[in-house]
């Protein structure tokens, strides 16, 4: 998931939470608190997803190629 899609989803979800909180409490302060809490939870989840994707890619890369092959991959002119 890329960042623009995430931001649209986050703001849409926060808006829905704000409407729900207003219908339940009638308080603007409760709406603000619940919307901020929803944004924080979504951000933590997004960061966790990104970290898990990076960790998974790093662990696959470390298992797939030995160090000499990885060094040759960085050399654009070919193997040394």
């Amino acid at each position: 998931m890329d960042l623009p899609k995430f931001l649209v989803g986050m703001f849409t979800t926060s808006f829905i939470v704000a409407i729900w909180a207003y219908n339940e409490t009638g308080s603007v302060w409760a709406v603000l608190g619940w919307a901020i809490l929803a944004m924080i939870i979504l951000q933590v989840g997004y960061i966790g997803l990104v970290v898990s994707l990076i960790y998974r890619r790093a662990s696959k890369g470390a298992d797939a190629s030995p160090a000499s092959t990885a060094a040759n991959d960085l050399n654009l002119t070919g193997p040394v």
Side-chain angles (χ1 to χ4, degrees):
M1 176 185 295
D2 54 351
L3 185 62
K5 287 181 185 177
F6 170 73
L7 291 176
V8 169
M10 182 180 73
F11 286 120
T12 302
T13 303
S14 298
F15 185 70
I16 291 169
V17 167
I19 291 172
W20 168 77
Y22 186 75
N23 285 337
E24 290 295 319
T25 64
S27 169
V28 176
W29 293 110
V31 167
L32 186 63
W34 279 102
I36 290 173
L37 182 64
M39 286 185 191
I40 290 170
I41 291 170
L42 287 169
Q43 283 288 333
V44 169
Y46 185 72
I47 290 170
L49 174 69
V50 170
V51 168
S52 70
L53 289 173
I54 291 170
Y55 178 74
R56 190 177 321 152
R57 181 178 288 180
S59 65
K60 282 184 182 178
D63 294 339
S65 63
S68 63
T69 306
N72 287 336
D73 289 343
L74 297 175
N75 189 356
L76 298 178
T77 59
V80 177

